[in-house]
Amino acid sequence: FFQAEDGIRDIGVTGVQTCALPIYLLDNAEDLPSPTLVLHRSRIEANFQKMVAISGDPIRLWPHVKTHKLPELIAWQVALGIVQFKCATIAEAEMVAGVEGVRRILLAVQPVGPQIDRLVRLAAAFPAIEWSAVVDDPGIVASLRNASALRPLGGPLGIWIDLDIGQHRTGLAPERVPGELLPALRSAEPVLRLAGLHAYDGHLGISDLAERRRLADAGFESVAALRNTLETGMGRRMEVIAGGSPTFALHAARTGVSLSPGTTVLWDAGYAHKLPDLPFQPAAVLLSRVISRPAPGQLCLDLGHKAVASEMPHPRTIFLNLPEATALSHSEEHLVVESPAADRFRVGDVMYSLPWHVCPTMALHQEVWLAENGREIGRAHV
């Protein structure tokens, strides 16, 4: 699932079959600590360009920042005309707000408890930005209204109705909205303003494109119907944000729909394996080292649970310069693997690999390194 420029023709779930990797090799790798993440600028910028090309217009994009959490990457996107972003936490929202040129920020996790006042205080601190949050509960609508009424904001706090269109994690089924949530939203205006509908279908990470399209279309039917109902009843246009990384290219064909990919910025081995129809390339590479050779054919690496996301079964990382690597054990600081090529490596040698799931892997690192033209060029703090 790599382009020919990588020199890698066939990467399977168990490892690399052809191991030339000029894109990821760093000629100053000896200067970097391990374990760490290296972000390749050319790959990131190419992924941004593909996101814009798929969307047709950068103003349609609401990229989710949870994947990378880096102001540098926000600024690169703003330069391309991407000026609205989704966040999962108040800390992420604060990070995005500090980047010049950002116009709109959506907190895509319903705020509860102290997060309600934190959101309102943040909105008051950055009045030039249009702030909003997703909701699915009338009590939270009332709490947001009360908190917002106590502070001068640049404008009404925007509300996006969080819809459950099949993931069954958060949100209301569209048919429940008119009776259960809309009355609370009406009573909260003009302090709050209903901006539109948030329809995330992150459960559709299906390899078969035709089946993914069929399910995405089926799920969106109720969203479109609710949109028509609300626009008729409210007398104004309702925005819609639809899709995640697996489906945003499908929703791009719909008129008047905004798109919210996230992992597309860095991509990862998991999505590259499951979604070969999408054109993105992995841009985040784990750099680790051999710290022991416990037995013939085995290596112990400094790539423990604290360096690579461990919420799924192995493989949790795909090695680029260690063919047919199989994990034997994984603990906080150590990953023991076996491979027919293991005896070629010595203690201290550098290993390159792709995280299976890049978003929680990024969250484990306080700093990452930026690379360009085969060299590390600086670091960024997550």
Side-chain angles (χ1 to χ4, degrees):
F1 49 67
F2 283 78
Q3 295 174 350
E5 65 182 277
D6 294 308
I8 298 175
R9 295 188 296 273
D10 180 19
I11 297 184
V13 171
T14 58
V16 179
Q17 309 304 318
T18 302
C19 301
L21 59 163
I23 292 296
Y24 297 126
L25 282 174
L26 297 179
D27 59 18
N28 58 345
E30 68 277 3
D31 297 331
L32 273 64
S34 62
T36 194
L37 265 172
V38 181
L39 307 186
H40 291 260
R41 179 165 185 156
S42 63
R43 278 294 179 80
I44 294 171
E45 292 180 339
N47 286 342
F48 287 157
Q49 295 285 357
K50 291 168 185 173
M51 288 163 54
V52 172
I54 289 171
S55 71
D57 187 339
I59 202 62
R60 295 184 71 191
L61 289 168
W62 286 78
H64 206 313
V65 307
K66 69 178 179 63
T67 294
H68 60 83
K69 306 176 188 287
L70 292 173
E72 291 87 348
L73 272 60
I74 299 296
W76 297 354
Q77 291 176 87
V78 169
L80 291 173
I82 303 170
V83 295
Q84 44 200 17
F85 298 89
K86 280 173 49 173
C87 306
T89 67
I90 298 295
E92 290 174 4
E94 186 174 25
M95 177 271 293
V96 177
V99 178
E100 185 176 356
V102 172
R103 297 179 188 171
R104 305 175 80 186
I105 297 176
L106 169 62
L107 183 65
V109 175
Q110 180 166 244
V112 294
Q115 301 297 77
I116 292 172
D117 190 58
R118 289 183 65 193
L119 174 62
V120 172
R121 284 189 282 115
L122 189 56
F126 292 91
I129 294 174
E130 182 182 315
W131 291 86
S132 56
V134 301
V135 301
D136 66 13
D137 182 81
I140 297 301
V141 172
S143 296
L144 283 167
R145 185 208 176 281
N146 293 339
S148 299
L150 297 176
R151 294 182 182 275
L153 304 180
L157 186 70
I159 297 297
W160 295 77
I161 299 174
D162 193 19
L163 298 178
D164 178 7
I165 55 172
Q167 190 168 32
H168 306 316
R169 185 175 67 181
T170 65
L172 287 176
E175 63 270 17
R176 294 174 56 189
V177 169
E180 296 183 33
L181 192 62
L182 191 57
L185 290 170
R186 286 183 179 278
S187 66
E189 292 197 349
V191 178
L192 307 182
R193 183 178 188 277
L194 176 57
L197 306 175
H198 179 259
Y200 178 63
D201 51 8
H203 59 295
L204 297 182
I206 301 165
S207 295
D208 184 87
L209 177 58
E211 179 67 3
R212 195 186 329 143
R213 186 188 306 276
R214 184 187 71 80
L215 292 173
D217 289 346
F220 194 80
E221 289 179 1
S222 59
V223 179
L226 177 60
R227 181 185 202 173
N228 290 335
T229 297
L230 293 178
E231 288 182 342
T232 299
M234 305 285 289
R236 65 172 187 259
R237 176 176 173 267
M238 290 287 117
E239 295 186 72
V240 174
I241 298 176
S245 295
T247 58
F248 90 101
L250 303 176
H251 293 297
R254 310 187 197 283
T255 302
V257 173
S258 295
L259 314 164
S260 62
T263 310
T264 49
V265 171
L266 299 179
W267 215 226
D268 57 25
Y271 270 164
H273 177 72
K274 291 190 295 183
L275 307 172
D277 57 286
L278 293 176
F280 303 98
Q281 290 285 299
V285 180
L286 284 160
L287 186 151
S288 60
R289 286 184 170 88
V290 179
I291 57 174
S292 183
R293 299 172 62 190
Q298 298 181 11
L299 300 173
C300 181
L301 313 176
D302 56 353
L303 195 60
H305 296 155
K306 294 177 180 177
V308 61
S310 304
E311 87 275 24
M312 75 289 289
H314 289 288
R316 294 165 179 164
T317 186
I318 300 297
F319 287 95
L320 299 173
N321 59 331
L322 184 64
E324 300 176 39
T326 301
L328 298 179
S329 68
H330 203 190
S331 52
E332 289 187 54
E333 312 293 346
H334 306 83
L335 173 61
V336 178
V337 298
E338 64 178 2
S339 165
D343 293 339
R344 303 176 195 169
F345 295 88
R346 298 183 178 182
V347 172
D349 282 352
V350 173
M351 310 300 295
Y352 298 93
S353 64
L354 302 178
W356 192 258
H357 194 182
V358 70
C359 307
T361 297
M362 278 288 296
L364 297 171
H365 294 264
Q366 292 184 323
E367 65 180 14
V368 297
W369 300 83
L370 303 178
E372 192 168 10
N373 299 323
R375 289 187 63 84
E376 168 270 314
I377 59 172
R379 59 182 172 177
H381 294 279
V382 179

